Amino acid sequence: MPARVPALDEIVKDGLNGAEVNVGGFVPSPHCHVDLLLTSHTARDEYLGLFEEKGVKLAGINTSGNPVSPLPDAGPRHDYDLRRAIKLAEKLGVKEIVCMSGAPGSDPYARYPSWVVNPWDGTYLEILDYQFSVLKPYWQEMDKRAQDAGVKLAWELHPHNTIFTPQQFLNVIDDWGTKNIGVNMDPSHLFWQGVDVIESVKLLGEHILHVHAKDTTIEPGVATRGVLDPEFERWSDDEDSRYPSAMFHYCTSHKKDPAWRFTHVGFGHDVDWWSEFLTEIAAINPDMNVSIEHEDEKYSQEEGLRLGAETLIAAAQQAQV
């Protein structure tokens, strides 16, 4: 088995010049000792020095989770992670925090989060009314904290969150009056929903603060499963093979014939598509941070990153920037 290459060296080897680092939420924080960096100026200088030495920009921090979940092993922890991420971003001079709007429970007594897909039945509209009564004051507070810290919060429009479409995002931001909350544009989450990504980029414009480069393929199983396919495999009995989504909850995996799946950049959509996408992003901000997010189960982290980098670099060279 080949020796593992340190993360920053891997990034440089693949021709990339920036890195987004996770600091909490659903994903652990193996590359960022948050407690130490919050309390030690020397540790922060040394940490930033690692990036400077490699010529790599610290392009954002990530704490995507469900900070409003009623689950005691998820909501409080993810809320704690987000609050600390805002403080850490200010201290590190990082301007963008990737996160999610989250999904509260269906009512004040709910034990689990609830995702309302389509409230054609008025009962579900009542659930949304309650959820927005939770989300609005929470994110108004986080927005104020972000303003005070001089950072922006970039939501992933990911299904399972209460706010998961571009138009929905614009509606709530206009209603809430927040100033430092925008969008992390991840095409993979919109492909899954059947949303036109290019039109969404044009619609959102300067609300886009950060980009995740991740691809999606719609698989043959969609013919009988549909894109809202609820059939996933349960987590493994082997604790070492599980991927936690909270302290005592775990991620599932696709069936063998799924309706859709996340793939490496360039597999679902070719260089021409990604070139058009980058052209539209550059029209909003030519210095936009674009982070490769690898979730293709068929490839290792290293191989998925390399393939994604090849596609993005080729697309950037072709893009009308």
Side-chain angles (χ1 to χ4, degrees):
M1 182 175 180
R4 295 183 66 85
V5 178
L8 293 181
D9 289 337
E10 186 76 39
I11 287 168
V12 173
K13 179 169 68 102
D14 290 332
L16 303 172
N17 59 10
E20 175 187 325
V21 179
N22 208 78
V23 299
F26 291 130
V27 181
S29 181
H31 300 296
C32 186
H33 195 318
V34 178
D35 289 330
L36 178 62
L37 293 177
L38 280 173
T39 56
S40 171
H41 189 282
T42 300
R44 291 194 295 274
D45 284 345
E46 291 177 351
Y47 187 69
L48 292 173
L50 294 173
F51 290 85
E52 184 176 357
E53 177 186 348
K54 300 295 183 181
V56 174
K57 176 184 178 182
L58 179 54
I61 59 178
N62 188 309
T63 181
S64 288
N66 187 355
V68 291
S69 172
L71 286 169
D73 65 328
R77 177 69 198 197
H78 295 176
D79 170 58
Y80 175 69
D81 289 344
L82 176 61
R83 292 170 186 267
R84 293 206 308 165
I86 293 171
K87 293 179 180 179
L88 181 61
E90 179 181 22
K91 290 178 180 292
L92 290 175
V94 175
K95 298 303 181 183
E96 301 152 25
I97 299 172
V98 178
C99 51
M100 295 177 177
S101 69
S106 60
D107 59 81
Y109 308 102
R111 295 176 55 204
Y112 294 92
S114 176
W115 181 40
V116 176
V117 179
N118 189 326
W120 67 267
D121 179 336
T123 303
Y124 297 98
L125 196 58
E126 292 175 15
I127 293 173
L128 281 176
D129 287 342
Y130 168 73
Q131 290 182 318
F132 281 114
S133 77
V134 173
L135 288 165
K136 182 175 181 176
Y138 179 82
W139 284 107
Q140 285 177 329
E141 178 191 348
M142 293 304 110
D143 179 66
K144 181 62 168 59
R145 288 175 178 270
Q147 290 181 51
D148 291 344
V151 301
K152 298 290 185 73
L153 305 176
W155 281 350
E156 296 196 52
L157 299 180
H158 194 311
H160 290 192
N161 288 274
T162 303
I163 300 158
F164 60 95
T165 73
Q167 187 60 60
Q168 190 186 28
F169 166 82
L170 292 177
N171 293 344
V172 299
I173 293 303
D174 181 62
D175 176 60
W176 298 352
T178 52
K179 301 184 186 322
N180 281 42
I181 296 177
V183 166
N184 170 61
M185 171 51 67
D186 184 332
S188 70
H189 301 152
L190 301 182
F191 290 144
W192 165 15
Q193 300 178 59
V195 174
D196 187 314
V197 173
I198 301 299
E199 288 303 312
S200 295
V201 170
K202 294 175 180 177
L203 175 69
L204 291 168
E206 294 184 354
H207 289 292
I208 297 174
L209 306 176
H210 193 86
V211 171
H212 273 178
K214 191 167 90 230
D215 220 333
T216 295
T217 59
I218 304 300
E219 301 285 344
V222 75
T224 54
R225 295 184 182 279
V227 295
L228 296 179
D229 178 19
E231 293 191 80
F232 280 63
E233 301 284 357
R234 289 186 175 273
W235 47 90
S236 170
D237 290 334
D238 177 11
E239 291 187 5
D240 293 335
S241 299
R242 298 173 180 173
Y243 193 90
S245 60
M247 289 178 64
F248 304 109
H249 292 84
Y250 306 95
C251 293
T252 59
S253 59
H254 284 287
K255 291 273 190 178
K256 291 182 179 179
D257 59 337
W260 60 270
R261 70 181 183 89
F262 292 138
T263 59
H264 68 267
V265 176
F267 188 80
H269 296 77
D270 61 16
V271 170
D272 287 345
W273 187 91
W274 284 98
S275 177
E276 181 183 5
F277 174 74
L278 293 179
T279 298
E280 295 294 340
I281 291 295
I284 298 168
N285 177 4
D287 298 319
M288 185 79 73
N289 291 317
V290 179
S291 300
I292 296 174
E293 186 180 30
H294 174 62
E295 293 187 38
D296 190 332
E297 297 175 349
K298 295 187 177 182
Y299 292 85
S300 68
Q301 293 174 334
E302 293 83 0
E303 184 69 1
L305 178 63
R306 181 185 66 77
L307 292 169
E310 288 177 357
T311 298
L312 277 188
I313 291 170
Q317 291 171 345
Q318 182 177 309
Q320 300 173 16
V321 178

